[in-house]
């Protein structure tokens, strides 16, 4: 997997709203990229809603939140609308970006992994959190790192 201090690899992916997201467009501000297994599953819903509920905190830290899974744009659109998610969900069909970021599979290689990357304003990876079981821990850990960056 990518390591602390590596520069983030830039990519473009479709969003659930039909736009194309370009990571390079966020250069100059911190970014939380969170890879998750599947829309509307219990852990992924808890994680997405935790990011939603604390989204204003991320904005106050001048950071953007972006979710990525292999689900379709339509699935992302329904998931985002159902849970009122204010941040983009990216459709990584075939797992190209997941592979680019070397996000490992979980549970004997059967499920896509859950990994969060925090990028600083220049695109350097300053934190990586890999945990399938602590879905909402991804949110608190990312906020903690962003607070440290801001101080």
């Amino acid at each position: 997997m990518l390591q602390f201090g590596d520069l983030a690899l830039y990519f473009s992916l479709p969003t659930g709203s039909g736009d194309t997201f370009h990571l390079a467009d966020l250069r100059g501000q911190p970014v939380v990229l969170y890879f998750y297994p599947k829309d509307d599953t219990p852990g992924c819903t808890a994680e997405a809603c935790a990011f939603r509920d604390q989204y204003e905190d991320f904005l106050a830290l001048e950071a953007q939140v972006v979710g990525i899974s292999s689900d379709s744009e339509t699935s992302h659109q329904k998931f985002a609308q159902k849970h009122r998610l204010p941040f983009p969900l990216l459709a990584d069909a075939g797992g190209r970006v997941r592979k680019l970021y070397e996000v490992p599979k979980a549970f004997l290689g059967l499920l896509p992994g859950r990994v969060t990357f925090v990028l600083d304003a220049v695109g350097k990876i300053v934190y990586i959190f890999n945990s399938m079981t602590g879905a909402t821990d991804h949110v608190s850990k990312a906020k903690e790192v962003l607070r440290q960056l801001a101080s």
Side-chain angles (χ1 to χ4, degrees), residues 27-28 32 39 41-42 53 56 80 90 104 125 128-129 142 150:
R27 178 177 273 161
V32 176
D39 291 343
T41 57
D53 294 346
E56 292 297 322
L90 309 183
I125 297 169
I128 302 169
F129 185 63

Side-chain angles (χ1 to χ4, degrees), residues 53-70:
D53 294 346
Q54 298 177 57
Y55 187 65
E56 292 297 322
D57 295 341
F58 286 97
L59 292 180
L61 292 164
E62 300 180 3
Q64 294 297 317
V65 175
V66 180
I68 304 172
S69 82
S70 296

